[in-house]
Structures are given as structure tokens and as C-alpha cells.
Amino acid sequence: MRVYTYPGYVSLGSAQGGSPKLFRYLEKERGLKFEGHAWHGTLDSLPKKPAMVRASSMMKCDSYDLAKRCAELGHFCFYDDRVILPNGEYVGGDQLIEEAKKFFDNYKDEPDVTREQTISYLLSHAADRSTDGETTHTMKQAKMLLDLFRAHVLREDVTPSPAISGEYRAVRVSSLEHPSTWGSEEDDTAGLDVKGMEEIGRQLGEDNEKASGLPYDWPISQAYFRKLAAGLERNLMQLDLAHTTTEIGYVMSEHQPNLGVLLATFRGRHSQWGGVAFLRRLMDAMLPPLIERLVALGYPESSEVIEWEYEAQNS
């Protein structure tokens, strides 16, 4: 279930923490899992497909207009364990759960990516070429790839070979702290982890050479694949952190502009570029064996690299 939050510093976790009764019901009684997304505090930025939308005291529209528009689009609008009815009224308690029951009894879960589109999606690029667009697309791809890779490529019945060991490093993430060394000779230019990229490229080359041409279920192959999966997971977490940190920076820049915050936000954008590049290197190594397995399982084969437009999927 998609949960849309605003502003950038409001995460899925904080939305859940602010509405414990609602999410306890959805998790225990409905068995739902959640995926966090952002809206931008305006009516035009609301998603097109039915979802959960968390209101905010900082949004750029009033509660009545938000509730009315959410009702038109089929969203469940809420704020801190209260549902916002189409007339703008905030209601909690038992009525909150009753409204949630009504919504989810009528809700139809339609995946963004169907089985038929899976391989095309894994090979796709973001149609939105902004930093946020490419970062969001890459993170969604990486999550899907990781789940499929673990389900269909990694073998629990194969003991990995010690010939491939260690781990792939995680990209360095710029934070909202401002160390005095920024801009020094020891600091990478503009926040990009150049040395890290060179290191991971060297490691991938060495490991790929060892596993090249071997069946996917051999011990050396499985050691390589496990190392790739662990590296992708670590870098996915880092990229998610960089994305969240940058969103917070934008909000702070808007309300309390100062040079330190602006610099941190600028560097956060570069951390995202670096994070996307790290993920791409790992994903490029993981895609061939995964696609081979998916095709063997009956997934439609595709070699076409398309631009994926999320808005088209939500219309």
C-alpha cells in the first residue's frame, strides 16, 4: 500500500508512529505492507491511483480542499490517527477504523509492474531525468531486483566458495553536518565518492573474472552473487538515506536559508548521483543471471531499454 507524506522530513516511519491505531489495524487485521512516497503539499501533486495520503500542517492547500480532492481521486486521507472526511472534518476513534474498512474493502491492488512488464522494467531508465526522478526509479528497480534475485538466483543449498570473499563498499553519503574539512584536498570534489567508485569497479572486475562462464549454481558463482546482493542492499540503504537527507535539506533551505544548509543540500544531490551510479554498477552485474532465470521461469523476454513514466502508470 502506498503512503504519501509531506514535507520531506516526514517519513513512512514517522507517519506510522503518529497513527499507531490506524497502522496497527492495517497491519494486523488487513495484513498490509507499506511503501513510502512523497507528495508536495499541493493538490496537483497528489497521486492519480488510490492511496493513503497523510495531511500536514505545512501543506500548501487547506484541509477542506485536500479532503475533497482526495475523495474525488479515491484516496484515504488521514492525520495522526484521524481520518479526514470529504467535508474536511477530522474524525478518530472507532469511526477512523470504520472509514478504513470502507476504503480497503473497495480498494483494488494494482501493481505498478505486471509480470509481463518485469524484465522491461528492470532494463528501463527513468523518464523523469531529474535527480529525484532517477534516484526514485533506481531505488524501486533495485528493490524489485533484489527480491527477485534472492528468490530465483541465490541457492540456499549451495555452500559459497571462499574464492570470492569480502564485501563491496557503500557509497559515502553527505549529511547535514558541516565538517570543517569540506573543500580540502582530502575531500572528494562536489561530494562525489570518486575513490569509492574506482574501488568497486576494480572489485567487480576481479570477482566477475573468477565467476565468468560458470553455471549459476556453482559455489564460486553463488559466492559472487551473494556478495553482489549484500552490496546492493547496503548501497540501497545508503541511497535512501541520501535521498531523505536531501529532502530535509530542501525543506530547511525553504524555511531557514543559510549557507551551511544550502551547501549540505547541494552535496546531498551529488551523494544521490554517486549512489545511483554505485547501484547501477551492481545491478548491471546482477541482471544477466537474473534475466536468464526469469526467462527460464516463463517471464516474457525483452531486450528493449525503455523510459519508464510513472505518471502514465498512475493515470
Side-chain angles (χ1 to χ4, degrees), residues 184-196:
S184 70
E185 291 182 359
E186 292 75 24
D187 193 27
D188 286 334
T189 304
L192 292 173
D193 195 351
V194 178
K195 293 179 181 177

Side-chain angles (χ1 to χ4, degrees), residues 114-116 118-119 148 152 293-301:
T114 65
R115 179 186 173 93
E116 290 70 28
T118 297
I119 293 178
L148 291 169
H152 302 302
R293 296 299 304 149
L294 292 178
V295 171
L297 291 167
Y299 283 73
E301 189 170 2

Side-chain angles (χ1 to χ4, degrees), residues 113-170:
V113 182
T114 65
R115 179 186 173 93
E116 290 70 28
Q117 296 172 310
T118 297
I119 293 178
S120 294
Y121 178 73
L122 291 172
L123 294 172
S124 67
H125 295 305
D128 177 1
R129 307 313 286 266
S130 68
T131 302
D132 180 69
E134 291 196 352
T135 299
T136 301
H137 181 68
T138 301
M139 289 195 297
K140 287 174 70 67
Q141 278 183 310
K143 289 175 185 176
M144 175 184 281
L145 189 155
L146 195 55
D147 288 342
L148 291 169
F149 199 82
R150 285 171 169 161
H152 302 302
V153 176
L154 298 187
R155 293 281 300 268
E156 294 183 2
D157 59 340
V158 176
T159 301
S161 167
I164 294 180
S165 59
E167 60 184 21
Y168 298 120
R169 62 166 292 163

Side-chain angles (χ1 to χ4, degrees), residues 6 39-47 59-61 66 69:
Y6 174 83
W39 67 294
H40 301 294
T42 65
L43 299 182
D44 289 342
S45 67
L46 289 169
M59 58 193 183
K60 301 165 186 176
C61 55
L66 174 66
R69 184 60 178 148

Side-chain angles (χ1 to χ4, degrees), residues 30 59 62 149 160 175 191 224 250 307:
R30 311 293 299 214
M59 58 193 183
D62 62 40
F149 199 82
S175 71
Y224 179 40
Y250 279 125
E307 289 196 341

Side-chain angles (χ1 to χ4, degrees), residues 175-216:
S175 71
L176 285 176
E177 297 177 358
H178 317 298
S180 59
T181 57
W182 280 8
S184 70
E185 291 182 359
E186 292 75 24
D187 193 27
D188 286 334
T189 304
L192 292 173
D193 195 351
V194 178
K195 293 179 181 177
M197 183 60 69
E198 292 173 348
E199 180 182 340
I200 205 170
R202 176 183 54 77
Q203 288 179 318
L204 281 169
E206 293 174 354
D207 292 340
N208 184 63
E209 186 175 352
K210 293 176 183 177
S212 179
L214 297 177
Y216 89 100

